[in-house]
Amino acid sequence: MVGGQIAVVQRRTLAVLSVAQITSGVGVAVGFAFSSLVVARLSGSVSISGLAGTASVLGAALLALPTARAAGRSGRRTGLALAYGCALLGCLITVVAITVRSWPLMLAGLVLFGGASAGSLASRYSATDLSPPGHSARHLSWVVWASTIGSVAGPNLAEPADHLGRRLGLAPDTGPFALSLLAFAIALAVIVIGLRPDPLLLARSIAPASAPATTAPAARARGTLRTAWQALRRAPAAVRALVAIAVSHTAMVSVMSMTPVHLDHGGSPNWVIGIVLSLHIAGMYVLSPLIGWLADRIGRVPVLRLGMGLLLAAAVLAGTAGSHGVTQVSAGLALLGAGWSCGLIAGSAMLSEAVPLEHRPAVQGLSDLLMNVCGATGAVAAGVIVGALSYGVLGTVVAVMVTITGAWLTLKRT
């Protein structure tokens, strides 16, 4: 296959991934943004409400390696279909759990709901399989940007979806998760039907013409954890990228998951909380093409350091705002999203380029596993910190964490 044909396939791949990201973004944003509030209402505990974010992030972590293993064995389409299929099942369980007023069952459903996040994260790597040299961050960022529409609109669709669900006879608070189920079903159909030819399988088929494989096909398809660790030991740049991604995601999840609870304590209505979260999600995605261009233009590490600076500013702004300081919290959450975007885009491009093609699914899956484990841990800690101390203390902890990471990246710059 000549270069022109590959470029055509890559454009089609980016379009298909982008459509799937738009629809799945609605489902993720609706469910994740309001799951903590629903769990708080079911359990009557602020500390337990933090487990909602933990459950979905943990689910994304648990499904990261199976998604990567499926991609390594049968291609990106199979891996993404597995992730979105799990998310569909999770939505069904969550609707049942809310109906019977069981917060433990809801947490179980949210674990599978995390499959949508696993699929969304894996999609960004799918965008780089056929990228020409020097364009992987830009191509990756376009798929990340595609989440903007669904993710920004999602939180604001929760209340209308709840009203519609009640009219249709559903229990209160189940409407948003029914909407998520529909969104994931559409994303699944788009991937299964549209992602042909498979970008990873095509990249492997043309790789021998320019870069000999270092591993037998059967071995490279396994996508095992051991393979990933072995590849990382030979790629210090990949290790730096992995750490930056994990820290960025931990900071974002911990602050975002507790912001609705913080504002709810100040008496903010759901529509105000929805706007704040929409601004945050806009910060995550709207500037991603610019961030991708910067990462390709000035390098991955400078953009990673910029991301840590933005996360520090976000922690200070949000952490020093009272529960009635909606404007200040909104500014902090927007910067939080932009800092996360820098870490994800520059880090993912750096990670992918630092390891050979045959090892990429395994290393990418390990990266998503670690970032989500760290995020889940951050969400648990955030719930405990806010419940026992305050939202301001949470901001201080996050500020210290990103400052240390930024200093480490500066000392280890490449």
Side-chain angles (χ1 to χ4, degrees), residues 201-213:
L201 298 183
L202 178 58
R204 284 177 174 173
S205 71
I206 63 179
S210 57

Side-chain angles (χ1 to χ4, degrees), residues 154-181:
N156 297 294
L157 293 175
E159 194 161 345
D162 188 35
H163 291 322
L164 179 60
R166 297 185 192 208
R167 291 178 184 175
L168 296 175
L170 298 177
D173 294 329
T174 58
F177 293 96
L179 175 61
S180 294
L181 187 152

Side-chain angles (χ1 to χ4, degrees), residues 124-125 242 245 351 362-372:
R124 79 192 192 277
Y125 288 126
L242 189 152
I245 292 170
L351 181 75
V363 174
Q364 291 162 350
L366 175 61
S367 172
D368 287 347
L369 168 64
L370 292 180
M371 70 178 277
N372 282 299

Side-chain angles (χ1 to χ4, degrees), residues 17 20 24 51 91 182 233 241 271 311 326 335 405:
L17 293 172
S24 66
L51 295 177
C91 285
L182 176 62
R233 283 202 297 268
W271 68 268
L311 291 171
V326 175
L335 289 177
T405 305

Side-chain angles (χ1 to χ4, degrees), residues 22 45 51 100 103-105 108 127 139 142 172 179 232 309 322 344 403:
I22 291 171
S45 169
L51 295 177
V100 301
W103 64 264
L105 182 60
H139 287 186
W142 293 345
L179 175 61
L232 283 173
L344 185 78
T403 298

Side-chain angles (χ1 to χ4, degrees), residues 44 73 77 127 146 168 212 216 256 273 291 309 321 328 336 349 363 384 389:
R73 183 183 303 115
R77 184 172 61 252
L168 296 175
M256 178 189 175
I273 296 174
I291 293 170
Q328 187 172 335
L336 185 75
V363 174
V384 173
L389 300 170

Side-chain angles (χ1 to χ4, degrees), residues 82-271:
L82 171 65
Y84 288 128
C86 289
L88 279 172
L89 178 59
C91 285
L92 287 173
I93 294 174
T94 299
V95 169
V96 172
I98 298 173
T99 302
V100 301
R101 309 292 295 175
S102 172
W103 64 264
L105 182 60
M106 181 174 176
L107 292 179
L110 289 174
V111 170
L112 287 174
F113 182 93
S117 295
S120 179
L121 291 171
S123 291
R124 79 192 192 277
Y125 288 126
S126 304
T128 67
D129 292 327
L130 297 173
S131 295
H135 288 73
S136 60
R138 269 170 280 193
H139 287 186
L140 185 152
S141 70
W142 293 345
V143 174
V144 172
W145 180 85
S147 301
T148 304
I149 299 173
S151 297
V152 171
N156 297 294
L157 293 175
E159 194 161 345
D162 188 35
H163 291 322
L164 179 60
R166 297 185 192 208
R167 291 178 184 175
L168 296 175
L170 298 177
D173 294 329
T174 58
F177 293 96
L179 175 61
S180 294
L181 187 152
L182 176 62
F184 297 151
I186 295 173
L188 176 61
V190 168
I191 291 296
V192 171
I193 296 171
L195 201 61
R196 300 171 185 272
D198 190 281
L200 180 59
L201 298 183
L202 178 58
R204 284 177 174 173
S205 71
I206 63 179
S210 57
T214 60
T215 307
R220 74 185 182 189
R222 293 188 191 114
T224 61
L225 192 60
R226 180 179 179 182
T227 298
W229 283 119
Q230 290 174 343
L232 283 173
R233 283 202 297 268
R234 296 189 293 268
V239 174
R240 287 192 288 276
L242 189 152
V243 171
I245 292 170
V247 169
S248 299
H249 195 65
T250 302
M252 186 276 290
V253 171
S254 60
V255 176
M256 178 189 175
S257 64
M258 296 311 300
T259 295
V261 176
H262 177 63
L263 293 177
D264 186 57
H265 285 171
S268 297
N270 283 353
W271 68 268

